[in-house]
């Protein structure tokens, strides 16, 4: 598998963590370089990352979107340490991931606007995006049971989504995660996994 993206992207990081946990090697292609960006654009009409290019023994596939890539990895190699939700739990996991992805996308947009020198308080739209981040993370904290969104401890896609979201918020200084004790404790517990430590974003 060739994985296209940046090492700071939380969506790319989810795929990297899953591949590491499943023991599946991959070639990482940084789209921060002109060559990597050009290669990505030749594969994906969205020009977005992560994009994964699967070749080798199986059929050639180009897949974009972190959730779809992870699902494909699971279909090839099993789920490893990750637990998938029961049918009864699946709606809650999907809600959690959708909410966290919304918070991440809002924070990423704010980061880009901030880099352009915009006053983030000057636009009602940007203020709403900032408030959305706080709303989602406050709600996520209320849903936690220790290191899981379910009463029975587990490591699933919802937990991975939260961990990568929180680490991004801290790394990019997008939200004061420290004001949420349960979120901080959650980060501390999951950060002990080698795949989490190995993929932490760096400048």
């Amino acid at each position: 598998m060739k994985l296209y993206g940046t090492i700071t992207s939380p969506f790319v990081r989810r795929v990297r963590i899953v591949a590491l946990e499943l023991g599946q090697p991959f070639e990482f292609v940084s789209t921060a370089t002109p060559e990597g960006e050009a290669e990505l654009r030749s594969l994906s009409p969205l020009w977005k990352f992560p994009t994964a290019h699967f070749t080798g023994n199986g059929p050639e596939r180009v897949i974009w979107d972190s959730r779809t890539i992870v699902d494909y990895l699971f279909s090839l190699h099993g789920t490893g340490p990750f637990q998938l939700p029961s049918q009864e739990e699946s709606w809650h996991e999907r809600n959690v991931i959708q909410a966290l992805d919304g918070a991440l996308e809002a924070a990423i947009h704010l980061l880009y606007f901030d880099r352009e020198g915009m006053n983030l308080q000057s636009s009602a739209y940007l203020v709403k995006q900032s408030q959305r981040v706080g709303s989602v993370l406050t709600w996520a904290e209320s849903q936690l049971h220790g290191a899981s969104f379910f009463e029975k401890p587990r490591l699933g896609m919802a937990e991975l989504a939260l961990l990568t979201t929180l680490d991004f918020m801290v790394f990019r200084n997008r939200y004061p995660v420290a004001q949420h004790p349960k979120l901080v404790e959650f980060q501390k517990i999951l950060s002990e996994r080698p795949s989490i430590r190995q993929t932490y974003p760096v400048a």
Side-chain angles (χ1 to χ4, degrees):
M1 175 179 78
K2 269 190 175 182
L3 180 63
Y4 296 83
T6 66
I7 58 173
T8 56
S9 163
F11 296 105
V12 174
R13 188 183 179 206
R14 293 177 194 175
V15 179
R16 293 167 64 208
I17 290 170
V18 169
L20 288 169
E21 290 284 355
L22 298 182
Q24 296 304 311
F26 60 92
E27 178 185 350
F28 184 74
V29 180
S30 173
T31 57
T33 68
E35 297 79 11
E37 176 72 12
E39 201 170 332
L40 170 69
R41 291 188 178 202
S42 73
L43 291 169
S44 169
L46 287 171
W47 302 354
K48 291 179 67 176
F49 47 79
T51 288
H53 187 193
F54 292 88
T55 57
N57 296 330
E60 181 175 358
R61 301 237 192 276
V62 177
I63 303 175
W64 46 84
D65 177 74
S66 59
R67 281 182 268 183
T68 310
I69 297 169
V70 167
D71 285 346
Y72 189 62
L73 286 171
F74 285 165
S75 75
L76 294 176
H77 308 294
T79 59
F82 296 100
Q83 293 175 265
L84 301 184
S86 66
Q87 186 173 4
E88 188 175 317
E89 295 170 334
S90 63
W91 68 268
H92 183 48
E93 177 158 281
R94 290 176 187 176
N95 269 351
V96 169
I97 295 172
Q98 181 71 17
L100 292 168
D101 285 358
L104 264 179
E105 288 165 2
I108 290 169
H109 288 155
L110 289 168
L111 175 64
Y112 287 141
F113 283 123
D114 201 11
R115 286 176 173 175
E116 292 291 327
M118 288 190 64
N119 180 352
L120 302 185
Q121 300 302 313
S122 65
S123 161
Y125 170 78
L126 296 180
V127 169
K128 183 177 181 180
Q129 297 308 301
S130 179
Q131 292 172 340
R132 176 173 288 140
V133 174
S135 173
V136 169
L137 293 183
T138 300
W139 174 82
E141 182 178 41
S142 75
Q143 301 299 302
L144 277 176
H145 301 272
S148 174
F149 282 103
F150 300 90
E151 292 187 15
K152 185 178 179 180
R154 64 193 285 277
L155 175 62
M157 290 300 98
E159 289 76 21
L160 183 58
L162 178 59
L163 187 279
T164 53
T165 298
L166 295 177
D167 283 352
F168 174 83
M169 297 298 177
V170 172
F171 176 68
R172 291 300 190 191
N173 194 29
R174 292 293 100 192
Y175 183 80
V177 173
Q179 70 184 19
H180 297 281
K182 290 176 69 175
L183 296 182
V184 172
E185 181 62 19
F186 173 89
Q187 277 183 294
K188 182 179 178 182
I189 294 170
L190 264 67
S191 68
E192 296 174 1
R193 300 188 72 89
S195 65
I196 302 298
R197 293 198 303 269
Q198 187 175 335
T199 58
Y200 190 81
V202 293

